[in-house]
Amino acid sequence: MEDLQRALSERGLTVSTLPDKGRCLLTLRDFSPGNVILSEEPYVSVPNKASRDSRCDWCFMTSNLKKCSACHVVWYCGSTCQVIPITATDNYNLVEALVSHMSELDEKQLVLYAQMANLVTLILEWPDISIKEIAGNFSKLACNAHTICDSELRPLGTGLYPVVSIINHSCLPNAVLAFEGRLAVIRAVQHIPKDTEVLISYIETAGSTMTRQKALKEQYFFSCTCPRCAKVGQLEDIQESAVLEGYRCKDIRCNGFLLRDSGFICQECGLVRDKEEIRKIASEVKLLSEKASELLVSGYKMEASDTYKAFEKLQQKLCHPYSIDLMRTRETLLKILMELQNWKDALAYCKLTIPVYERVYPGFHPLLGLQYYTCGKLEWLLGDTENAMKSLTKAVDVLRISHGTNTSFMKELLTKVEEARAEASYKLLSETDPAMDG
């Protein structure tokens, strides 16, 4: 622990303990938006199934892969990745200090961990390690491991980061976790004064307070008390939940929302919506959703696209324009249409998601930046260089805070912005000076 505190103090950080929260990471100096607060290699990590034979097991890179000559199981991109460096955070004591929440698990989960631990002992044949300790480590992994993602937040694997795991959760975080290969990097997304707790988000924050609290309780065994969650039950929170996860006014010209406890009365215009009508549309939406999902899983992308479009139109009759469910459907359509190279329709659905992203995510959130990025790429593909430049610039404004500027992804994005700006300038000059086209 002394070695860890010494290493952290050099970065302007310290591990402390807070009432009701346990260990936390505090700042010893000010941090500005975009500053790297902490970076850590995982104590242990593994690529996911999709990446298993296509990425180096150590650095997660994809080039020059060769299977280990000793075990013939793992893959490395070179000899450097086979030599594991030792740092102050490569200490099993840090793993031991992680909370396992074993006492809060139900019997079914405890039995599963015990069975897994017994299998491990049979394989390793280490007499000095107990089944209880192994089972506890499985629980620690479930509570503390992070999904390792690429720059566009696509999952690559799983890693255990003992120091990052000290950082507590907030639904209004002042820092964000991103990955460079398998290196976890925590960056400030707002000004963090000295003697302030560093906070990141553990979960998807686009949802009602009740939805977020449910996710945290089920996976991490605690209730969040951040300023956003402190509003639970208040009128503002109830109204926001109704917009994000409830029903819309029957009059499509009205953007009002309904409250269940008020008899499905529109809070904007006072129009009452029939419960049976809502139930009928909800049933139709469920059937279409299941059909679209089955088509997609079966590989019928064109048919899935058409069904999801019908599903999305029906959802519009039921859901508020800022509905999370409606946004998710449009995200799915965007992904399918991009795979089908239907750029025009993909852009249309991407644009429909942007206002919802701007509402449900803070201005610094990487998902918002990446959606601007997708929008800009599609606009450029379709020849709308001027709007592409605007969208890509918005993407840079967000992602340079969450991702920094030195990764290959950000360097490529910055280059795209400059190319779009140059192309837009050329088009403008061509319009004002016909001789340019000659």
Side-chain angles (χ1 to χ4, degrees), residues 79-304:
S79 57
T80 303
C81 285
Q82 288 180 285
V83 181
I84 301 174
I86 301 299
T87 69
T89 61
D90 292 322
N91 189 326
Y92 184 66
N93 291 333
L94 298 177
V95 177
E96 283 188 312
L98 295 175
V99 179
S100 68
H101 294 288
M102 287 286 282
S103 62
E104 296 168 83
L105 297 178
D106 58 34
E107 185 178 351
K108 183 179 179 181
Q109 194 65 48
L110 285 170
V111 170
L112 176 61
Y113 285 154
Q115 291 171 338
M116 293 164 65
N118 189 53
L119 180 61
V120 169
T121 57
L122 289 173
I123 294 171
L124 295 179
E125 297 181 345
W126 290 353
D128 56 340
I129 186 168
S130 70
I131 290 178
K132 184 178 179 180
E133 182 181 358
I134 299 172
N137 281 341
F138 276 123
S139 189
K140 287 176 183 178
L141 189 67
C143 298
N144 294 282
H146 288 85
T147 299
I148 300 171
C149 300
D150 66 10
S151 296
E152 296 185 57
L153 303 188
R154 292 174 296 219
L156 299 178
T158 302
L160 185 64
Y161 298 84
V163 182
V164 171
S165 294
I166 295 171
I167 302 173
N168 286 318
H169 163 87
S170 172
C171 299
L172 281 173
N174 55 20
V176 67
L177 168 62
F179 293 90
E180 297 173 11
R182 65 178 214 148
L183 179 72
V185 182
I186 305 291
R187 287 188 175 87
V189 292
Q190 56 184 260
H191 176 68
I192 306 178
K194 180 184 176 183
D195 298 324
T196 301
E197 184 181 6
V198 178
L199 297 163
I200 61 174
S201 176
Y202 292 0
I203 59 168
E204 165 63 87
T205 56
S208 69
T209 302
M210 295 299 291
T211 297
R212 298 194 312 274
Q213 292 282 16
K214 184 174 183 287
L216 289 167
K217 198 70 177 175
E218 288 179 353
Q219 187 170 354
Y220 299 103
F221 305 98
F222 72 87
S223 296
C224 182
T225 57
C226 74
R228 190 177 173 194
C229 290
K231 296 178 182 178
V232 65
Q234 297 178 14
L235 181 60
E236 179 187 349
D237 182 66
I238 292 170
Q239 291 178 340
E240 183 68 4
S241 299
V243 169
L244 298 179
E245 299 175 359
Y247 302 124
R248 66 164 300 148
C249 179
K250 185 176 181 179
D251 186 349
I252 59 172
R253 296 168 297 180
C254 175
N255 277 335
F257 56 90
L258 312 182
L259 292 179
R260 293 172 185 266
D261 295 341
S262 300
F264 295 104
I265 299 173
C266 176
Q267 302 301 296
E268 187 74 24
C269 69
L271 187 67
V272 179
R273 191 159 190 184
D274 183 65
K275 292 181 183 179
E276 285 303 316
E277 181 217 11
I278 291 175
R279 191 176 290 112
K280 181 182 177 183
I281 296 175
S283 178
E284 292 173 3
V285 163
K286 186 174 184 293
L287 288 173
L288 264 181
S289 172
E290 291 170 353
K291 181 181 178 182
S293 181
E294 287 173 6
L295 287 168
L296 186 59
V297 170
S298 300
Y300 300 108
K301 292 181 183 178
M302 188 65 74
E303 293 84 351

